[in-house]
Amino acid sequence: MAFDADSHAALGALLDHARKAGAGSAEASFSARESVSAEVRCGELEGMEREESRSVALRAFIGKQQAAASSTDLSSAGLKALAERVVAMAKAAPEDPYCGLLDAKYRASGPFEDLEQADTARPSAEQLRDMALACEAATFVSPEISREKSGGAGASSDYNFFVYATSDGFEGSDASTTYSLGAQPIAERDGKMERDYEYRTKRFLADLPDAAAIGRTAGERALARLGPRKLESSRAPVIFANRRAGSLLSPLIGGISGNSIARGTSFLKNKLGQRVFAPGFELKEDPFIKRAIGSMAFDGEGCAVKRNLLVDDGVITMWLLNSATARQLKLEPTGHATSGHGGPPGIAAANLAVKPGKDDLAGLMKNAGKGLYVTEMFSPALNMNTGDWSVGVSGFWFEHGEIAYPVSEVTVAGALLDIYARMIPGADLDNRGALEIPSMLIDDLAIGGV
């Protein structure tokens, strides 16, 4: 799909209509998406979906009043009506002292490096179906993996094209593709069923692991879950598997977000420049990794982005700010705005990577001796003001440094500041989405069982 001419014309018209309607400044965006997916279950096609969409969005400012809306009507009349509607809404909106376009001195400037975000591969629905079927077929690694009660498998292909423009002359575009493949088999023994999964998402189709390898991993995981036991409530070391360890850091990213800091609702609001993690802990951010999910040449407001060390030797070094939260906190924007496309921008990080430790998973278990190895998490609860955290989990109990038996219906809980201070990274890095992270050991956590 080629949208350059359409998007340029649409955004130029929108901004022109907004000025004529009385806007002092404005930003506009164009979004196009083409998505194809296939779902299979029990060796049969369960569903196929195809989506094609195009939309434009406008945010207009009149002094310190703002309003935003989006539309799928890209006709000349539709663009004019959208601009007039948004400007009228802005005139009636309450004042927001922090709203407005990004200051031009923070703008990104091209030419931008090719971050290899868009592949040319466009697999058909039939090709995706065959990938999903091969993935599901590979999950049947044992007679105890149910062919009749399979959780199924799925494959998808997405192409996205996005353009952002402002009334003060900035324009930038981004084209990206994502390809996903995964399976969720069900294992059964003595009438009791357990399930597990494996999935992968990549920018380039050729970078996806083999469908059979994904399916086989999912099947082996489900098989290992059979016969879970319950645990008595206690305190013990807990290791979070690398595919789940990112859940530990999600509250960190939310906690250093400018929105939380400005509202005073973060358990980290007084921790800037202080050691929160153990000495040596590092969390890096890099928006320039080629073919990575979280890469970008500029943020959602056109702000320049850069590599950051968010946590250095255990110390939190910065807040994540868009232009509005930067104004509120009397700081400079940090290039972490996400596009609102019909609303004010949000805040998010780019590609993140935790510095690995020296021990692999086996080494972490050996050092801990015995404890809980978490491979799945359910319904986390977090008090963002205090950092008190709990989550339902399942996984395995390990003893003498080795897996002993599966466990389920367990909760773990603690204060995140205490957890972060004692968190030990492993060496077994896993890369899913925009996060590279190893398994994480916490040497003592409350475990809730029977």
Side-chain angles (χ1 to χ4, degrees), residues 108 130 241 269 419:
D130 292 345
K269 61 186 177 184
I419 291 171

Side-chain angles (χ1 to χ4, degrees), residues 21 24 55 63 115 127 157 168 176 186 218 268 299 314 320 341 349 392 394 430:
S55 63
L115 298 176
Q127 288 174 303
S157 167
D168 62 0
S176 63
I186 297 173
L268 298 170
D299 80 353
L320 310 182
H341 194 62
S394 62
D430 180 78

Side-chain angles (χ1 to χ4, degrees), residues 244-304:
R244 299 305 308 170
S247 297
L248 291 171
L249 294 184
S250 293
L252 166 71
I253 301 305
I256 64 175
S257 166
N259 292 323
S260 297
I261 299 300
R263 290 194 301 264
T265 57
S266 170
F267 67 103
L268 298 170
K269 61 186 177 184
N270 299 316
K271 299 300 182 181
L272 185 63
Q274 296 187 26
R275 176 166 283 131
V276 170
F277 293 82
F281 187 91
E282 287 186 2
L283 179 63
K284 296 180 180 180
E285 180 189 34
D286 188 347
F288 305 120
I289 302 174
K290 292 186 176 183
R291 299 196 180 196
I293 295 295
S295 296
M296 65 189 77
F298 53 87
D299 80 353
E301 294 180 295
C303 185

Side-chain angles (χ1 to χ4, degrees), residues 2 33 38 61 63 75 120 145 162 169 171 211-212 237 245 262 316 349 414 424 441:
R33 179 175 184 239
F61 307 93
S75 68
T120 58
I145 304 291
F162 189 81
E171 182 172 314
I316 293 177
I424 301 171
L441 167 65

Side-chain angles (χ1 to χ4, degrees), residues 362-422:
L364 291 180
M365 287 186 179
K366 182 178 180 181
N367 293 338
K370 68 176 180 178
L372 177 62
Y373 175 50
V374 172
T375 59
E376 190 58 280
M377 305 168 74
F378 317 93
S379 305
L382 170 65
N383 184 323
M384 199 63 187
N385 286 291
T386 65
D388 291 334
W389 174 81
S390 65
V391 63
V393 303
S394 62
F396 301 87
W397 186 255
F398 62 91
E399 295 180 350
H400 310 296
E402 296 183 351
I403 295 292
Y405 49 83
V407 297
S408 63
E409 299 182 39
V410 181
T411 61
V412 295
L416 283 175
L417 287 174
D418 180 53
I419 291 171
Y420 288 165
R422 300 189 346 268

